[in-house]
Amino acid sequence: MYIHIGEDLNIRLKDIIAILDKDSTENSESMEEFFQYHQKEVINLSKKRTKSIVITVDKIYLSPIASGTLKKRSSQMYLQEF
């Protein structure tokens, strides 16, 4: 199954490692180091404000969609598989 994370991008649900709230990661030194180390893999989908960070197997997406909304979408997709 796929989940829409912003712009015209859908990613496979099984490729998602984490969905993080952007506000909760702003003051984290470890997240800052993580982004510096992986800056080549970061793709910004937000034209205005980034609300969430979606970490996948090979990319890091900055999404304009709230993390709670993405979580609901992923839960609904997971339930539809059964």
Side-chain angles (χ1 to χ4, degrees):
M1 299 299 285
Y2 289 83
I3 182 173
H4 176 259
I5 63 166
E7 289 298 309
D8 291 330
L9 185 63
N10 295 311
I11 57 174
R12 288 190 311 193
L13 195 57
K14 69 179 185 176
D15 290 341
I16 296 175
I17 296 170
I19 298 174
L20 308 171
D21 182 59
K22 174 72 166 82
D23 294 335
S24 67
T25 62
E26 284 186 359
N27 296 325
S28 171
E29 289 182 32
S30 58
M31 283 305 295
E32 193 172 312
E33 289 177 29
F34 178 79
F35 281 121
Q36 286 178 352
Y37 185 76
H38 295 284
Q39 69 188 58
K40 291 181 181 179
E41 291 91 21
V42 175
I43 298 174
N44 190 351
L45 302 174
S46 302
K47 291 182 179 176
K48 294 184 181 180
R49 181 173 179 257
T50 298
K51 294 182 181 177
S52 62
I53 301 165
V54 180
I55 301 172
T56 66
V57 175
D58 58 349
K59 300 285 183 203
I60 301 167
Y61 298 97
L62 305 179
S63 175
I65 301 172
S67 59
T69 303
L70 293 174
K71 181 183 176 197
K72 286 179 191 175
R73 288 180 185 178
S74 66
S75 297
Q76 290 170 350
M77 297 287 187
Y78 182 75
L79 290 175
Q80 288 177 0
E81 290 180 4
F82 294 104

